Amino acid sequence: MSLNPTQNISIKKTGLILVIIFITSINYGQTTTYNQFWNEIQFTRTINEKWSTELNLGAVYSSTESSSNIFQQNIQRSARVWGHYYFSPRWKFSTFLAYNYNKDVPEIGQFKSPETRFALQVIYYFHKTGYTLSTRMRMELRHMRNEEGDYDNVLRYRQQIKYILPINSKVLREGVVYAIASDELFFKSGTKVTGLSFFDRNRLNIGAGYLFSDDIQAEVTYANEYLPRDNGNQIVNAASLTLTFNNLFRNLSKKLHHKNESSTED
């Protein structure tokens, strides 16, 4: 029995819809979602008007495939030392050396993968009245252990655009609440430990910060990451808390010195 053209078109449309549904179901079935908590403490120290140093201490907690508890596992601890050079009000050049203790990180695998990381970074600022827009370029060299116990070198390039908007003031200063939004693309070389795909991930961040003083601030953000991987895509929903202290020990030393002088005068 022959089919008329209308029936042929109908069958083709139905077949196309079924193929789309099938492909979509495969992609969805291969995608795993994790909920995480990222926290970091940042200590910065001004050397002069052109140079500063920074120390970051961080930890990452994650749910697992069998538990939705955001604090189910402590999957990473990290320490990072920075050097910053302020070339001009628009250009900032930085470098860092970091050590990450990775354990059961979902994107890597269920094994220990210590990592040493070196990076070069450039930030360009578009200073505008009422808000700040910046773009960040970072090249990272990651030296990390794979499942066989050997070490792989991974090159990763990161490109970010970031928007900061003060809410109750036109400038960032003590007592100001500000909104944050950023998006970052990651590209990497292929290795056993991180997979062979060139596109590493996309990270979207939205949140807010508050300046307790010119030297102390806190940021709370939500991050959404999409990670394409060889054995199944991953989505990470993360709550992030960052505390920053500028010239903490210098300021404490000044306060103690001032108290001692006041006590002597009394």
Side-chain angles (χ1 to χ4, degrees):
M1 180 179 66
S2 61
L3 300 174
N4 60 47
T6 302
Q7 289 175 314
N8 279 327
I9 293 173
S10 178
I11 291 173
K12 288 179 180 179
K13 285 184 177 179
T14 302
L16 180 60
I17 292 171
L18 290 174
V19 169
I20 293 173
I21 292 174
F22 177 69
I23 293 173
T24 304
S25 65
I26 290 176
N27 289 336
Y28 180 81
Q30 291 180 340
T31 300
T32 306
T33 300
Y34 295 94
N35 300 313
Q36 296 184 353
F37 177 72
W38 307 342
N39 71 295
E40 186 172 84
I41 301 177
Q42 302 176 347
F43 301 94
T44 66
R45 184 180 187 278
T46 302
I47 299 175
N48 53 45
E49 63 179 16
K50 288 290 187 180
W51 289 93
S52 70
T53 58
E54 183 177 340
L55 171 65
N56 303 154
L57 301 174
V60 176
Y61 298 85
S62 179
S63 65
T64 64
E65 293 188 26
S66 60
S67 173
S68 60
N69 182 2
I70 194 173
F71 295 103
Q72 182 65 30
Q73 285 188 330
N74 178 203
I75 62 172
Q76 185 187 80
R77 293 187 293 274
S78 62
R80 180 168 51 193
V81 179
W82 289 85
H84 301 291
Y85 175 67
Y86 302 87
F87 179 75
S88 71
R90 292 189 178 273
W91 290 97
K92 177 182 176 182
F93 298 88
S94 306
T95 184
F96 75 67
L97 182 65
Y99 177 78
N100 292 356
Y101 179 74
N102 304 312
K103 181 181 180 297
D104 298 333
V105 177
E107 65 172 283
I108 297 174
Q110 303 305 300
F111 58 91
K112 295 179 182 179
S113 179
E115 172 189 354
T116 303
R117 188 181 302 184
F118 171 76
L120 297 174
Q121 176 176 288
V122 180
I123 299 179
Y124 182 79
Y125 296 93
F126 302 88
H127 294 291
K128 302 294 181 180
T129 303
Y131 69 92
T132 298
L133 186 67
S134 64
T135 180
R136 185 180 76 186
M137 298 149 279
R138 181 190 294 179
M139 179 63 76
E140 298 175 332
L141 173 61
R142 307 174 68 190
H143 184 66
M144 52 201 310
R145 192 168 70 187
N146 60 34
E147 195 168 7
E148 286 76 32
D150 301 321
Y151 279 82
D152 291 336
N153 290 318
V154 183
L155 280 175
R156 185 166 71 175
Y157 176 74
R158 302 168 56 167
Q159 181 70 53
Q160 182 199 70
I161 186 166
K162 185 175 183 179
Y163 177 78
I164 298 178
L165 175 68
I167 303 299
N168 55 333
S169 174
K170 290 187 177 180
V171 296
L172 294 175
R173 56 180 174 79
E174 182 178 347
V176 171
V177 178
Y178 57 94
I180 311 164
S182 68
D183 192 70
E184 188 170 16
L185 297 173
F186 296 63
F187 304 92
K188 64 176 177 61
S189 58
T191 60
K192 290 181 180 179
V193 68
T194 60
L196 300 177
S197 59
F198 173 65
F199 177 64
D200 184 43
R201 75 190 67 190
N202 180 79
R203 177 184 293 172
L204 172 67
N205 265 290
I206 55 173
Y210 178 73
L211 282 88
F212 295 95
S213 69
D214 292 337
D215 293 318
I216 302 175
Q217 68 187 80
E219 292 183 356
V220 178
T221 62
Y222 161 74
N224 175 268
E225 284 192 336
Y226 169 71
L227 302 85
R229 290 296 180 264
D230 302 334
N231 57 351
N233 300 331
Q234 297 179 15
I235 293 176
V236 173
N237 297 303
S240 175
L241 172 63
T242 303
L243 299 176
T244 302
F245 299 90
N246 300 316
N247 300 310
L248 175 63
F249 300 107
R250 181 185 296 175
N251 292 337
L252 289 175
S253 178
K254 286 181 179 179
K255 288 183 178 181
L256 290 173
H257 182 69
H258 179 71
K259 286 183 178 180
N260 290 335
E261 286 185 343
S262 299
S263 299
T264 303
E265 291 175 358
D266 293 341

